[in-house]
Amino acid sequence: MGKEPSQSEVGAEELAYYRAVEDHFCRLRGTPFLFSPKDFAYLRRWWQEGVPLSAILLALGEVFAKKRQRGEDPVSSLAYCRHAVARQARRLAQLRAGGGEGATVCAEEGLTRLITKVAAVRDGLEQPRLRELLAGLVKALESLPRQVPPATLAELLAELEEHTLAALWEALPPAEQAHLQAQLQDALPPGVSLSEQAWRVALLREVRERLGLPRLELTAHGG
């Protein structure tokens, strides 16, 4: 962590909000990174304005992906992401205002089931780092709008799932990473190899199955 406010200065929920953002930022950079006082000023403003955690996580993923596509250096400040955060916050606010009654019931029930399942997996884990990441996912799911078309919500859930699984993979001990990689390689037919993207998708699936996480999707059975 950088020079974040202490828990005596802010509430536990606000501090968890800050940590979820900083953890996600570091995961996307691929290296440890300390937020500056200016970064925490942005976080404090977003918290006070009620910007959903999911909006920030989605915005960071968007900005880092564009930088990678252009071959540019990774982002080094939340200031660079502020416009994307504002855009994602508006997107979620518009979705909240635009859904119909049927969509509201479907999304509410499905998200509640997902949150319950993810929380159960979180509570069953012993590694603090993995528990923290799933606690952040629970908060992100809780902050998603309920009044949205199913297709739009599915898109939001898919983005969160990819970000979370990637972070969980990086948080696994090296020995466990090696075990999952060997397990995946052994499962391939002889002589078959996967592209880099296909390997990544398959590896993240292995992480989900290893931890017993549900797919982040709305189905009749809650994922």
Side-chain angles (χ1 to χ4, degrees):
M1 297 294 293
K3 296 179 179 179
E4 66 172 9
S6 67
Q7 193 156 351
S8 63
E9 297 173 308
V10 300
E13 287 192 14
E14 184 176 347
L15 194 60
Y17 180 92
Y18 296 168
R19 286 177 173 166
V21 175
E22 192 170 25
D23 284 348
H24 192 60
F25 190 94
C26 291
R27 201 280 300 171
L28 290 169
R29 276 186 62 88
T31 58
F33 186 80
L34 297 179
F35 274 178
S36 68
K38 182 179 180 181
D39 291 321
F40 281 111
Y42 276 108
L43 280 174
R44 191 72 185 271
R45 182 189 310 165
W46 292 336
W47 170 264
Q48 292 173 339
E49 292 176 351
V51 175
L53 178 61
S54 53
I56 302 176
L57 301 188
L58 292 168
L60 293 183
E62 170 194 334
V63 171
F64 273 87
K66 288 180 178 178
K67 295 279 277 185
R68 283 195 302 271
Q69 290 170 1
R70 295 194 292 261
E72 299 174 355
D73 292 336
V75 180
S76 59
S77 172
L78 284 181
Y80 192 88
C81 307
R82 65 189 187 280
H83 298 305
V85 170
R87 184 168 57 253
Q88 290 286 1
R90 286 195 301 271
R91 175 191 182 193
L92 295 184
Q94 290 167 356
L95 289 172
R96 284 190 178 91
E101 182 178 350
T104 301
V105 173
C106 176
E108 185 68 44
E109 292 179 351
L111 284 173
T112 297
R113 285 194 293 266
L114 277 179
I115 290 168
T116 299
K117 289 187 174 185
V118 172
V121 174
R122 174 202 62 197
D123 294 343
L125 293 174
E126 296 182 358
Q127 294 170 269
R129 177 66 178 137
L130 299 181
R131 289 174 63 95
E132 288 176 3
L133 288 170
L134 290 188
L137 176 58
V138 167
K139 291 182 180 299
L141 291 172
E142 290 173 343
S143 71
L144 286 174
R146 268 58 176 168
Q147 295 182 323
V148 294
T152 303
L153 187 56
E155 178 185 342
L156 295 172
L157 289 170
E159 292 177 54
L160 286 174
E161 180 176 68
E162 180 179 359
H163 297 332
T164 301
L165 289 175
L168 289 167
W169 161 253
E170 294 180 7
L172 290 174
E176 194 161 357
Q177 289 181 340
H179 173 73
L180 288 180
Q181 288 177 318
Q183 183 173 282
L184 177 57
Q185 186 63 52
D186 290 344
L188 294 177
V192 173
S193 62
L194 299 177
S195 66
E196 182 177 347
Q197 179 61 24
W199 177 266
R200 171 182 167 81
V201 170
L203 195 56
L204 294 186
R205 183 182 64 240
E206 291 288 326
V207 173
R208 185 180 64 246
E209 293 177 356
R210 156 69 181 81
L211 298 177
L213 276 171
R215 288 195 60 87
L216 297 191
E217 58 186 14
L218 299 183
T219 70
H221 302 290

